[in-house]
Amino acid sequence: MNGKSSSTATFLTAADWQIDDATEAWLDQDGHLARLGEHGLRTADEKWRSYRAAGAPRVAAA
């Protein structure tokens, strides 16, 4: 062994990120979908992806 963990984490770039079912349910339940509408959510998503694109990929669990 070389001292490293044998498991490997999956890294995602901002472009590869997809919303999970729990987050989508939270958006709907708390009224964010109704308040922002589809256009508002797309705008927020694009802003987040632009911000994260400059950063290093993160593990999928993050």
Side-chain angles (χ1 to χ4, degrees), residues 43-59:
T43 300
D45 180 69
E46 182 60 34
K47 183 177 179 180
W48 179 86
R49 287 177 194 272
S50 176
Y51 168 77
R52 282 296 305 149
R58 301 170 84 180
V59 295

Side-chain angles (χ1 to χ4, degrees), residues 1-41:
M1 291 276 321
N2 63 4
K4 291 185 178 182
S5 173
S6 61
S7 65
T8 58
T10 302
F11 288 90
L12 296 172
T13 64
D16 294 330
W17 182 82
Q18 296 292 316
I19 192 169
D20 60 37
D21 292 338
T23 303
E24 189 169 6
W26 173 79
L27 287 168
D28 191 32
Q29 179 182 359
D30 283 7
H32 299 299
L33 289 175
R35 181 174 55 85
L36 294 173
E38 187 70 27
H39 176 73
L41 286 176

